[in-house]
Amino acid sequence: MAPEFVLAFATGQKVEANKSVEDFKNLVLPGQEHQKWTLRHGFYANMGGFVLQPPDWAAFPINSKQLLWLIKEGYVDYPKMTAKEVWDKSKADGFQKSLTCLQTGWFIIQIIGRAIQHLPITTLEITTLSFVLCTLVMFTQWAHKPLDVESATILTPNKSIAKILLEAGPAAREPYQHTPLDFVEKPLPPSWLTEVQPHLRFQTGPKMRPLPRLTNDRFPVIGAGPDAVFLFLFTMGYCGLHFVAWDFSFPTRLERDLWRWASIAIAACAFIFWVCETYQDGHRLGRWERWGAQLSNKFSKSDKDGRINTMEKARRNRRFIPVWEVVIMTPVTAVYTLARTYIVIEVFLSQRSLPVGAFDTVEWSQFIPHL
């Protein structure tokens, strides 16, 4: 229904893995082992590949930020695990991926060939093309992510969880949502299973605490870097691809008009979502406040540092999704869902009456120079 959202999750996971690489590069430790932390390590850690086994607590998974904090505080040693060893845990099938890319590549070539030879292209082909493009980009975003890892890497701290939480200070004394190390990363990106479903009174996810595994449905935090710009442009291009069928042949005029309105609605909803999420993401990460403090010339350096520290504390206590965003995005999501549902239904309804040329095949011999 909405592959662009899956792509957003994939991009967010890549951004977090990239951030972990940067953080480990800046980590000051004896030796150079931590300088070999790669995207594969970041993906592996954030999907729950490292499990902490304290002597006084049930084992629980940790992400890259929590692992970094444990290493900096001296509670665990850096896990000497090479990128090759991480990838060895993956069940990814290179042949299957290559075959999928080959098939999708051939489909794209077919669409281009039909366009060049002015053959009719159906709404089914346009919709399939949009899904194919999203799939190919997802492959690139998840290129370094291990697939279907079954056995985790166990890390044993040199102190009990009770001692670690006591030494961490007031922030660690608050009740945790998922694992005892939640305080390392605040605000926590909400998960569909552990936060959204219970709020909607749906069937909830795992009730065991600490969580036995990290959920992979957390709302992505993409930031404002090149990946965010790319995702915005690709998402708008994906939505805009439906405008290609603006003057296509439809069984009835009503269906054609509904397709046009649905295409406009999808693009408009995606743009509104990006505006709201970019604005809130700036507050979520403290970006606007930091920029304002850095641009301001009214404060001395010590005042600026104090102001930034105060804003950082406020950021950590701020809601991940505020009420105003829920109020705006609820009707936007409803409109988007209706428009997307119509397009999916119309793709199949329109097959009952296709132009004659839709059954013609591309004459590939016309692309070959000959006498």
Side-chain angles (χ1 to χ4, degrees):
M1 284 288 289
E4 68 271 30
F5 288 104
V6 181
L7 177 59
F9 276 93
T11 303
Q13 291 173 10
K14 182 186 176 184
V15 168
E16 291 176 352
N18 266 323
K19 182 66 169 59
S20 74
V21 173
E22 180 182 342
D23 291 340
F24 272 90
K25 297 290 185 185
N26 295 330
L27 184 62
V28 179
L29 287 177
Q32 299 296 321
E33 286 293 329
H34 62 285
Q35 297 292 326
K36 299 178 182 178
W37 185 272
T38 64
L39 268 178
R40 292 180 180 178
H41 290 89
F43 274 118
Y44 180 68
N46 289 331
M47 62 192 290
F50 294 104
V51 172
L52 195 69
Q53 178 65 77
D56 62 333
W57 210 273
F60 58 89
I62 57 176
N63 60 29
S64 60
K65 291 183 179 179
Q66 294 165 344
L67 174 61
L68 180 71
W69 183 84
L70 289 169
I71 294 173
K72 287 173 65 176
E73 298 298 324
Y75 295 122
V76 298
D77 295 328
Y78 175 81
K80 296 181 179 180
M81 190 177 188
T82 65
K84 186 176 181 180
E85 290 172 333
V86 172
W87 200 245
D88 190 55
K89 291 177 172 287
S90 176
K91 308 296 188 301
D93 188 341
F95 175 76
Q96 184 181 14
K97 282 188 176 181
S98 300
L99 184 61
T100 301
C101 291
L102 183 64
Q103 290 175 325
T104 54
W106 174 245
F107 176 78
I108 294 173
I109 292 174
Q110 288 271 7
I111 296 296
I112 295 174
R114 295 186 70 83
I116 293 175
Q117 295 188 1
H118 303 288
L119 295 174
I121 299 173
T122 65
T123 54
L124 177 61
E125 289 171 320
I126 287 295
T127 305
T128 304
L129 177 63
S130 65
F131 276 74
V132 163
L133 293 176
C134 277
T135 301
L136 290 177
V137 177
M138 273 188 282
F139 274 177
T140 61
Q141 301 294 62
W142 277 335
H144 296 280
K145 182 179 180 179
L147 175 67
D148 196 20
V149 176
E150 295 181 358
S151 59
T153 303
I154 305 298
L155 301 177
T156 304
N158 53 28
K159 292 184 180 181
S160 65
I161 281 293
K163 186 68 172 176
I164 292 175
L165 296 181
L166 184 63
E167 293 178 355
R173 297 173 190 169
E174 299 177 7
Y176 67 84
Q177 293 177 283
H178 307 129
T179 72
L181 296 183
D182 282 352
F183 68 91
V184 175
E185 181 184 8
K186 282 191 175 183
L188 284 171
S191 161
W192 173 262
L193 283 175
T194 57
E195 277 84 38
V196 180
Q197 279 193 359
H199 180 72
L200 299 176
R201 303 293 192 272
F202 290 169
Q203 181 179 359
T204 59
K207 296 182 179 180
M208 185 186 302
R209 294 296 185 275
L211 287 177
R213 64 177 182 85
L214 297 181
T215 58
N216 59 359
D217 59 352
R218 294 195 172 281
F219 286 43
V221 180
I222 301 174
D227 286 289
V229 175
F230 168 77
L231 181 61
F232 169 74
L233 294 176
F234 186 88
T235 301
M236 297 310 299
Y238 165 81
C239 295
L241 194 60
H242 297 90
F243 286 96
V244 174
W246 188 271
D247 289 322
F248 277 16
S249 175
F250 287 85
T252 65
R253 181 175 179 178
L254 176 61
E255 290 176 67
R256 184 197 66 184
D257 292 342
L258 287 176
W259 179 280
R260 290 177 175 179
W261 281 110
S263 300
I264 294 173
I266 288 175
C269 289
F271 183 78
I272 293 172
F273 169 81
W274 268 101
V275 171
C276 292
E277 186 59 20
T278 300
Y279 176 80
Q280 177 55 23
D281 191 63
H283 284 294
R284 190 179 296 139
L285 300 177
R287 185 185 309 121
W288 310 134
E289 292 89 343
R290 287 197 304 272
W291 288 0
Q294 291 169 1
L295 292 175
S296 174
N297 294 320
K298 298 179 180 180
F299 302 95
S300 64
K301 185 179 185 306
S302 59
D303 290 335
K304 286 184 179 180
D305 291 342
R307 187 183 180 191
I308 290 176
N309 290 335
T310 301
M311 291 187 297
E312 176 63 19
K313 292 178 181 177
R315 181 193 70 80
R316 291 175 65 89
N317 294 324
R318 187 179 289 132
R319 283 189 176 187
F320 192 90
I321 301 178
V323 175
W324 69 263
E325 191 173 12
V326 174
V327 172
I328 293 177
M329 291 311 301
T330 297
V332 169
T333 302
V335 172
Y336 180 91
T337 302
L338 288 174
R340 172 63 66 188
T341 302
Y342 171 75
I343 281 184
V344 172
I345 294 174
E346 177 58 29
V347 160
F348 296 100
L349 289 179
S350 63
Q351 300 305 299
R352 73 185 190 276
S353 178
L354 296 175
V356 176
F359 301 96
D360 295 338
T361 58
V362 178
E363 296 291 341
W364 295 109
S365 60
Q366 294 184 16
F367 295 97
I368 303 175
H370 59 278
L371 296 177

